[in-house]
PDB file of all heavy atoms in Angstrom:
ATOM      1  N   GLU B  54     116.987   6.947  82.316  1.00  0.00           N
ATOM      2  CA  GLU B  54     115.789   6.136  82.457  1.00  0.00           C
ATOM      3  C   GLU B  54     116.184   4.795  83.051  1.00  0.00           C
ATOM      4  O   GLU B  54     116.991   4.064  82.471  1.00  0.00           O
ATOM      5  CB  GLU B  54     115.124   5.940  81.095  1.00  0.00           C
ATOM      6  CG  GLU B  54     113.808   5.165  81.169  1.00  0.00           C
ATOM      7  CD  GLU B  54     113.197   4.951  79.786  1.00  0.00           C
ATOM      8  OE1 GLU B  54     112.816   5.938  79.138  1.00  0.00           O
ATOM      9  OE2 GLU B  54     113.118   3.780  79.364  1.00  0.00           O
ATOM     10  N   ARG B  55     115.578   4.453  84.183  1.00  0.00           N
ATOM     11  CA  ARG B  55     115.978   3.242  84.908  1.00  0.00           C
ATOM     12  C   ARG B  55     114.992   2.110  84.740  1.00  0.00           C
ATOM     13  O   ARG B  55     115.377   0.943  84.759  1.00  0.00           O
ATOM     14  CB  ARG B  55     116.124   3.567  86.403  1.00  0.00           C
ATOM     15  CG  ARG B  55     117.150   4.634  86.695  1.00  0.00           C
ATOM     16  CD  ARG B  55     118.556   4.180  86.358  1.00  0.00           C
ATOM     17  NE  ARG B  55     119.544   5.223  86.574  1.00  0.00           N
ATOM     18  CZ  ARG B  55     120.854   5.028  86.500  1.00  0.00           C
ATOM     19  NH1 ARG B  55     121.321   3.841  86.182  1.00  0.00           N
ATOM     20  NH2 ARG B  55     121.685   6.028  86.720  1.00  0.00           N
ATOM     21  N   GLN B  56     113.727   2.446  84.625  1.00  0.00           N
ATOM     22  CA  GLN B  56     112.688   1.429  84.441  1.00  0.00           C
ATOM     23  C   GLN B  56     111.679   2.011  83.467  1.00  0.00           C
ATOM     24  O   GLN B  56     111.490   3.228  83.406  1.00  0.00           O
ATOM     25  CB  GLN B  56     111.964   1.102  85.750  1.00  0.00           C
ATOM     26  CG  GLN B  56     112.756   0.345  86.775  1.00  0.00           C
ATOM     27  CD  GLN B  56     111.853  -0.129  87.886  1.00  0.00           C
ATOM     28  OE1 GLN B  56     111.060  -1.059  87.747  1.00  0.00           O
ATOM     29  NE2 GLN B  56     111.925   0.553  89.021  1.00  0.00           N
ATOM     30  N   ARG B  57     111.023   1.120  82.761  1.00  0.00           N
ATOM     31  CA  ARG B  57     110.030   1.582  81.803  1.00  0.00           C
ATOM     32  C   ARG B  57     108.829   0.647  81.830  1.00  0.00           C
ATOM     33  O   ARG B  57     108.992  -0.579  81.931  1.00  0.00           O
ATOM     34  CB  ARG B  57     110.613   1.637  80.398  1.00  0.00           C
ATOM     35  CG  ARG B  57     109.692   2.301  79.391  1.00  0.00           C
ATOM     36  CD  ARG B  57     110.329   2.389  78.017  1.00  0.00           C
ATOM     37  NE  ARG B  57     109.451   3.097  77.097  1.00  0.00           N
ATOM     38  CZ  ARG B  57     109.486   4.395  76.876  1.00  0.00           C
ATOM     39  NH1 ARG B  57     110.395   5.140  77.472  1.00  0.00           N
ATOM     40  NH2 ARG B  57     108.651   4.978  76.046  1.00  0.00           N
ATOM     41  N   GLY B  58     107.656   1.216  81.750  1.00  0.00           N
ATOM     42  CA  GLY B  58     106.444   0.424  81.658  1.00  0.00           C
ATOM     43  C   GLY B  58     106.123   0.114  80.208  1.00  0.00           C
ATOM     44  O   GLY B  58     106.934   0.338  79.303  1.00  0.00           O
ATOM     45  N   ASN B  59     104.928  -0.343  79.973  1.00  0.00           N
ATOM     46  CA  ASN B  59     104.523  -0.789  78.653  1.00  0.00           C
ATOM     47  C   ASN B  59     103.960   0.372  77.835  1.00  0.00           C
ATOM     48  O   ASN B  59     102.766   0.414  77.522  1.00  0.00           O
ATOM     49  CB  ASN B  59     103.485  -1.904  78.790  1.00  0.00           C
ATOM     50  CG  ASN B  59     103.180  -2.534  77.464  1.00  0.00           C
ATOM     51  OD1 ASN B  59     104.005  -2.529  76.554  1.00  0.00           O
ATOM     52  ND2 ASN B  59     101.992  -3.092  77.343  1.00  0.00           N
ATOM     53  N   PHE B  60     104.825   1.330  77.508  1.00  0.00           N
ATOM     54  CA  PHE B  60     104.435   2.491  76.720  1.00  0.00           C
ATOM     55  C   PHE B  60     105.337   2.585  75.488  1.00  0.00           C
ATOM     56  O   PHE B  60     106.514   2.246  75.547  1.00  0.00           O
ATOM     57  CB  PHE B  60     104.559   3.773  77.560  1.00  0.00           C
ATOM     58  CG  PHE B  60     103.378   4.001  78.466  1.00  0.00           C
ATOM     59  CD1 PHE B  60     103.290   3.324  79.664  1.00  0.00           C
ATOM     60  CD2 PHE B  60     102.364   4.861  78.101  1.00  0.00           C
ATOM     61  CE1 PHE B  60     102.194   3.512  80.493  1.00  0.00           C
ATOM     62  CE2 PHE B  60     101.275   5.064  78.920  1.00  0.00           C
ATOM     63  CZ  PHE B  60     101.181   4.384  80.128  1.00  0.00           C
ATOM     64  N   PRO B  61     104.772   3.055  74.361  1.00  0.00           N
ATOM     65  CA  PRO B  61     105.553   3.119  73.119  1.00  0.00           C
ATOM     66  C   PRO B  61     106.649   4.180  73.205  1.00  0.00           C
ATOM     67  O   PRO B  61     106.665   5.029  74.102  1.00  0.00           O
ATOM     68  CB  PRO B  61     104.511   3.498  72.067  1.00  0.00           C
ATOM     69  CG  PRO B  61     103.428   4.187  72.834  1.00  0.00           C
ATOM     70  CD  PRO B  61     103.372   3.510  74.177  1.00  0.00           C
ATOM     71  N   ASP B  62     107.524   4.129  72.217  1.00  0.00           N
ATOM     72  CA  ASP B  62     108.666   5.048  72.180  1.00  0.00           C
ATOM     73  C   ASP B  62     108.247   6.502  71.979  1.00  0.00           C
ATOM     74  O   ASP B  62     109.077   7.404  72.141  1.00  0.00           O
ATOM     75  CB  ASP B  62     109.620   4.646  71.041  1.00  0.00           C
ATOM     76  CG  ASP B  62     110.305   3.331  71.344  1.00  0.00           C
ATOM     77  OD1 ASP B  62     110.277   2.904  72.523  1.00  0.00           O
ATOM     78  OD2 ASP B  62     110.864   2.731  70.416  1.00  0.00           O
ATOM     79  N   ARG B  63     106.983   6.711  71.629  1.00  0.00           N
ATOM     80  CA  ARG B  63     106.501   8.103  71.515  1.00  0.00           C
ATOM     81  C   ARG B  63     106.602   8.824  72.858  1.00  0.00           C
ATOM     82  O   ARG B  63     106.608  10.047  72.916  1.00  0.00           O
ATOM     83  CB  ARG B  63     105.028   8.136  71.068  1.00  0.00           C
ATOM     84  CG  ARG B  63     104.749   7.537  69.730  1.00  0.00           C
ATOM     85  CD  ARG B  63     103.297   7.759  69.314  1.00  0.00           C
ATOM     86  NE  ARG B  63     102.339   7.111  70.206  1.00  0.00           N
ATOM     87  CZ  ARG B  63     101.540   7.768  71.050  1.00  0.00           C
ATOM     88  NH1 ARG B  63     101.601   9.072  71.155  1.00  0.00           N
ATOM     89  NH2 ARG B  63     100.682   7.090  71.807  1.00  0.00           N
ATOM     90  N   PHE B  64     106.648   8.047  73.915  1.00  0.00           N
ATOM     91  CA  PHE B  64     106.792   8.594  75.270  1.00  0.00           C
ATOM     92  C   PHE B  64     108.276   8.579  75.625  1.00  0.00           C
ATOM     93  O   PHE B  64     108.910   7.512  75.635  1.00  0.00           O
ATOM     94  CB  PHE B  64     106.004   7.758  76.275  1.00  0.00           C
ATOM     95  CG  PHE B  64     104.519   7.896  76.157  1.00  0.00           C
ATOM     96  CD1 PHE B  64     103.823   7.251  75.147  1.00  0.00           C
ATOM     97  CD2 PHE B  64     103.804   8.676  77.059  1.00  0.00           C
ATOM     98  CE1 PHE B  64     102.442   7.388  75.030  1.00  0.00           C
ATOM     99  CE2 PHE B  64     102.431   8.814  76.956  1.00  0.00           C
ATOM    100  CZ  PHE B  64     101.751   8.169  75.931  1.00  0.00           C
ATOM    101  N   SER B  65     108.801   9.742  75.896  1.00  0.00           N
ATOM    102  CA  SER B  65     110.203   9.836  76.276  1.00  0.00           C
ATOM    103  C   SER B  65     110.319  10.833  77.419  1.00  0.00           C
ATOM    104  O   SER B  65     109.401  11.602  77.706  1.00  0.00           O
ATOM    105  CB  SER B  65     111.070  10.263  75.099  1.00  0.00           C
ATOM    106  OG  SER B  65     110.699  11.571  74.671  1.00  0.00           O
ATOM    107  N   GLY B  66     111.485  10.819  78.033  1.00  0.00           N
ATOM    108  CA  GLY B  66     111.654  11.713  79.173  1.00  0.00           C
ATOM    109  C   GLY B  66     113.070  12.203  79.315  1.00  0.00           C
ATOM    110  O   GLY B  66     113.965  11.849  78.531  1.00  0.00           O
ATOM    111  N   HIS B  67     113.220  12.998  80.345  1.00  0.00           N
ATOM    112  CA  HIS B  67     114.539  13.542  80.626  1.00  0.00           C
ATOM    113  C   HIS B  67     114.565  13.937  82.099  1.00  0.00           C
ATOM    114  O   HIS B  67     113.547  14.351  82.661  1.00  0.00           O
ATOM    115  CB  HIS B  67     114.793  14.775  79.754  1.00  0.00           C
ATOM    116  CG  HIS B  67     116.190  15.262  79.824  1.00  0.00           C
ATOM    117  ND1 HIS B  67     117.227  14.659  79.174  1.00  0.00           N
ATOM    118  CD2 HIS B  67     116.720  16.324  80.496  1.00  0.00           C
ATOM    119  CE1 HIS B  67     118.351  15.320  79.435  1.00  0.00           C
ATOM    120  NE2 HIS B  67     118.070  16.320  80.231  1.00  0.00           N
ATOM    121  N   GLN B  68     115.737  13.786  82.694  1.00  0.00           N
ATOM    122  CA  GLN B  68     115.925  14.311  84.042  1.00  0.00           C
ATOM    123  C   GLN B  68     117.127  15.237  84.031  1.00  0.00           C
ATOM    124  O   GLN B  68     118.161  14.925  83.427  1.00  0.00           O
ATOM    125  CB  GLN B  68     116.130  13.198  85.068  1.00  0.00           C
ATOM    126  CG  GLN B  68     116.180  13.733  86.507  1.00  0.00           C
ATOM    127  CD  GLN B  68     116.388  12.648  87.550  1.00  0.00           C
ATOM    128  OE1 GLN B  68     117.079  11.676  87.303  1.00  0.00           O
ATOM    129  NE2 GLN B  68     115.793  12.837  88.723  1.00  0.00           N
ATOM    130  N   PHE B  69     116.995  16.337  84.712  1.00  0.00           N
ATOM    131  CA  PHE B  69     118.038  17.353  84.746  1.00  0.00           C
ATOM    132  C   PHE B  69     118.893  17.217  86.011  1.00  0.00           C
ATOM    133  O   PHE B  69     118.500  16.535  86.949  1.00  0.00           O
ATOM    134  CB  PHE B  69     117.391  18.732  84.672  1.00  0.00           C
ATOM    135  CG  PHE B  69     116.603  18.937  83.412  1.00  0.00           C
ATOM    136  CD1 PHE B  69     115.245  18.667  83.366  1.00  0.00           C
ATOM    137  CD2 PHE B  69     117.223  19.366  82.242  1.00  0.00           C
ATOM    138  CE1 PHE B  69     114.513  18.825  82.200  1.00  0.00           C
ATOM    139  CE2 PHE B  69     116.507  19.529  81.073  1.00  0.00           C
ATOM    140  CZ  PHE B  69     115.155  19.255  81.057  1.00  0.00           C
ATOM    141  N   PRO B  70     120.062  17.871  86.007  1.00  0.00           N
ATOM    142  CA  PRO B  70     120.938  17.757  87.186  1.00  0.00           C
ATOM    143  C   PRO B  70     120.278  18.175  88.500  1.00  0.00           C
ATOM    144  O   PRO B  70     120.699  17.741  89.570  1.00  0.00           O
ATOM    145  CB  PRO B  70     122.112  18.671  86.833  1.00  0.00           C
ATOM    146  CG  PRO B  70     122.157  18.652  85.347  1.00  0.00           C
ATOM    147  CD  PRO B  70     120.718  18.593  84.913  1.00  0.00           C
ATOM    148  N   ASN B  71     119.276  19.052  88.433  1.00  0.00           N
ATOM    149  CA  ASN B  71     118.595  19.461  89.669  1.00  0.00           C
ATOM    150  C   ASN B  71     117.458  18.506  90.035  1.00  0.00           C
ATOM    151  O   ASN B  71     116.653  18.821  90.911  1.00  0.00           O
ATOM    152  CB  ASN B  71     118.059  20.883  89.540  1.00  0.00           C
ATOM    153  CG  ASN B  71     116.951  21.008  88.500  1.00  0.00           C
ATOM    154  OD1 ASN B  71     116.649  20.052  87.783  1.00  0.00           O
ATOM    155  ND2 ASN B  71     116.359  22.172  88.428  1.00  0.00           N
ATOM    156  N   TYR B  72     117.403  17.357  89.362  1.00  0.00           N
ATOM    157  CA  TYR B  72     116.444  16.269  89.585  1.00  0.00           C
ATOM    158  C   TYR B  72     115.080  16.515  88.970  1.00  0.00           C
ATOM    159  O   TYR B  72     114.257  15.597  88.952  1.00  0.00           O
ATOM    160  CB  TYR B  72     116.268  15.940  91.070  1.00  0.00           C
ATOM    161  CG  TYR B  72     117.565  15.695  91.804  1.00  0.00           C
ATOM    162  CD1 TYR B  72     117.923  16.455  92.910  1.00  0.00           C
ATOM    163  CD2 TYR B  72     118.442  14.713  91.370  1.00  0.00           C
ATOM    164  CE1 TYR B  72     119.124  16.240  93.571  1.00  0.00           C
ATOM    165  CE2 TYR B  72     119.644  14.491  92.016  1.00  0.00           C
ATOM    166  CZ  TYR B  72     119.987  15.258  93.121  1.00  0.00           C
ATOM    167  OH  TYR B  72     121.175  15.049  93.774  1.00  0.00           O
ATOM    168  N   SER B  73     114.809  17.705  88.464  1.00  0.00           N
ATOM    169  CA  SER B  73     113.535  17.926  87.805  1.00  0.00           C
ATOM    170  C   SER B  73     113.465  17.076  86.540  1.00  0.00           C
ATOM    171  O   SER B  73     114.496  16.565  86.056  1.00  0.00           O
ATOM    172  CB  SER B  73     113.330  19.395  87.485  1.00  0.00           C
ATOM    173  OG  SER B  73     114.267  19.823  86.504  1.00  0.00           O
ATOM    174  N   SER B  74     112.273  16.926  86.011  1.00  0.00           N
ATOM    175  CA  SER B  74     112.090  15.993  84.906  1.00  0.00           C
ATOM    176  C   SER B  74     111.066  16.519  83.917  1.00  0.00           C
ATOM    177  O   SER B  74     110.213  17.360  84.256  1.00  0.00           O
ATOM    178  CB  SER B  74     111.637  14.640  85.462  1.00  0.00           C
ATOM    179  OG  SER B  74     111.379  13.713  84.432  1.00  0.00           O
ATOM    180  N   GLU B  75     111.180  16.040  82.701  1.00  0.00           N
ATOM    181  CA  GLU B  75     110.201  16.305  81.654  1.00  0.00           C
ATOM    182  C   GLU B  75     109.697  14.997  81.075  1.00  0.00           C
ATOM    183  O   GLU B  75     110.451  14.022  80.971  1.00  0.00           O
ATOM    184  CB  GLU B  75     110.825  17.134  80.529  1.00  0.00           C
ATOM    185  CG  GLU B  75     111.116  18.560  80.872  1.00  0.00           C
ATOM    186  CD  GLU B  75     111.698  19.338  79.696  1.00  0.00           C
ATOM    187  OE1 GLU B  75     112.059  18.700  78.683  1.00  0.00           O
ATOM    188  OE2 GLU B  75     111.799  20.564  79.809  1.00  0.00           O
ATOM    189  N   LEU B  76     108.431  15.019  80.700  1.00  0.00           N
ATOM    190  CA  LEU B  76     107.839  13.913  79.946  1.00  0.00           C
ATOM    191  C   LEU B  76     107.452  14.475  78.590  1.00  0.00           C
ATOM    192  O   LEU B  76     106.759  15.502  78.520  1.00  0.00           O
ATOM    193  CB  LEU B  76     106.608  13.380  80.674  1.00  0.00           C
ATOM    194  CG  LEU B  76     105.642  12.508  79.867  1.00  0.00           C
ATOM    195  CD1 LEU B  76     106.309  11.205  79.451  1.00  0.00           C
ATOM    196  CD2 LEU B  76     104.380  12.198  80.672  1.00  0.00           C
ATOM    197  N   ASN B  77     107.905  13.846  77.523  1.00  0.00           N
ATOM    198  CA  ASN B  77     107.572  14.254  76.167  1.00  0.00           C
ATOM    199  C   ASN B  77     106.730  13.167  75.506  1.00  0.00           C
ATOM    200  O   ASN B  77     107.039  11.972  75.624  1.00  0.00           O
ATOM    201  CB  ASN B  77     108.845  14.466  75.345  1.00  0.00           C
ATOM    202  CG  ASN B  77     109.747  15.514  75.949  1.00  0.00           C
ATOM    203  OD1 ASN B  77     109.421  16.693  75.966  1.00  0.00           O
ATOM    204  ND2 ASN B  77     110.888  15.088  76.485  1.00  0.00           N
ATOM    205  N   VAL B  78     105.696  13.600  74.824  1.00  0.00           N
ATOM    206  CA  VAL B  78     104.896  12.659  74.049  1.00  0.00           C
ATOM    207  C   VAL B  78     104.802  13.202  72.629  1.00  0.00           C
ATOM    208  O   VAL B  78     104.365  14.336  72.415  1.00  0.00           O
ATOM    209  CB  VAL B  78     103.489  12.475  74.623  1.00  0.00           C
ATOM    210  CG1 VAL B  78     102.765  11.359  73.875  1.00  0.00           C
ATOM    211  CG2 VAL B  78     103.550  12.152  76.114  1.00  0.00           C
ATOM    212  N   ASN B  79     105.236  12.387  71.676  1.00  0.00           N
ATOM    213  CA  ASN B  79     105.190  12.769  70.261  1.00  0.00           C
ATOM    214  C   ASN B  79     103.989  12.153  69.564  1.00  0.00           C
ATOM    215  O   ASN B  79     103.414  11.160  70.043  1.00  0.00           O
ATOM    216  CB  ASN B  79     106.465  12.287  69.548  1.00  0.00           C
ATOM    217  CG  ASN B  79     107.692  12.981  70.062  1.00  0.00           C
ATOM    218  OD1 ASN B  79     107.665  14.169  70.371  1.00  0.00           O
ATOM    219  ND2 ASN B  79     108.784  12.237  70.189  1.00  0.00           N
ATOM    220  N   ALA B  80     103.630  12.752  68.429  1.00  0.00           N
ATOM    221  CA  ALA B  80     102.571  12.195  67.578  1.00  0.00           C
ATOM    222  C   ALA B  80     101.351  11.813  68.413  1.00  0.00           C
ATOM    223  O   ALA B  80     100.910  10.655  68.424  1.00  0.00           O
ATOM    224  CB  ALA B  80     103.107  10.986  66.813  1.00  0.00           C
ATOM    225  N   LEU B  81     100.812  12.786  69.099  1.00  0.00           N
ATOM    226  CA  LEU B  81      99.725  12.543  70.041  1.00  0.00           C
ATOM    227  C   LEU B  81      98.533  11.849  69.373  1.00  0.00           C
ATOM    228  O   LEU B  81      98.148  12.154  68.244  1.00  0.00           O
ATOM    229  CB  LEU B  81      99.272  13.859  70.655  1.00  0.00           C
ATOM    230  CG  LEU B  81     100.194  14.445  71.728  1.00  0.00           C
ATOM    231  CD1 LEU B  81      99.814  15.883  72.025  1.00  0.00           C
ATOM    232  CD2 LEU B  81     100.157  13.595  72.993  1.00  0.00           C
ATOM    233  N   LEU B  82      97.972  10.922  70.154  1.00  0.00           N
ATOM    234  CA  LEU B  82      96.756  10.216  69.759  1.00  0.00           C
ATOM    235  C   LEU B  82      95.626  10.602  70.705  1.00  0.00           C
ATOM    236  O   LEU B  82      95.889  11.028  71.843  1.00  0.00           O
ATOM    237  CB  LEU B  82      96.977   8.700  69.823  1.00  0.00           C
ATOM    238  CG  LEU B  82      98.140   8.134  69.017  1.00  0.00           C
ATOM    239  CD1 LEU B  82      98.303   6.654  69.312  1.00  0.00           C
ATOM    240  CD2 LEU B  82      97.911   8.360  67.540  1.00  0.00           C
ATOM    241  N   LEU B  83      94.392  10.401  70.246  1.00  0.00           N
ATOM    242  CA  LEU B  83      93.260  10.699  71.115  1.00  0.00           C
ATOM    243  C   LEU B  83      93.372   9.920  72.433  1.00  0.00           C
ATOM    244  O   LEU B  83      93.028  10.436  73.505  1.00  0.00           O
ATOM    245  CB  LEU B  83      91.944  10.357  70.431  1.00  0.00           C
ATOM    246  CG  LEU B  83      91.575  11.199  69.213  1.00  0.00           C
ATOM    247  CD1 LEU B  83      90.245  10.717  68.637  1.00  0.00           C
ATOM    248  CD2 LEU B  83      91.508  12.676  69.545  1.00  0.00           C
TER     249      LEU B  83
END
Side-chain angles (χ1 to χ4, degrees):
Chain B
E54 183 182 295
R55 300 294 177 172
Q56 289 191 74
R57 188 178 183 92
N59 188 26
F60 279 80
D62 291 344
R63 298 186 297 109
F64 289 77
S65 63
H67 189 77
Q68 186 180 34
F69 299 93
N71 66 354
Y72 308 122
S73 67
S74 177
E75 289 182 349
L76 163 65
N77 301 291
V78 187
N79 295 323
L81 284 167
L82 304 174
L83 294 179

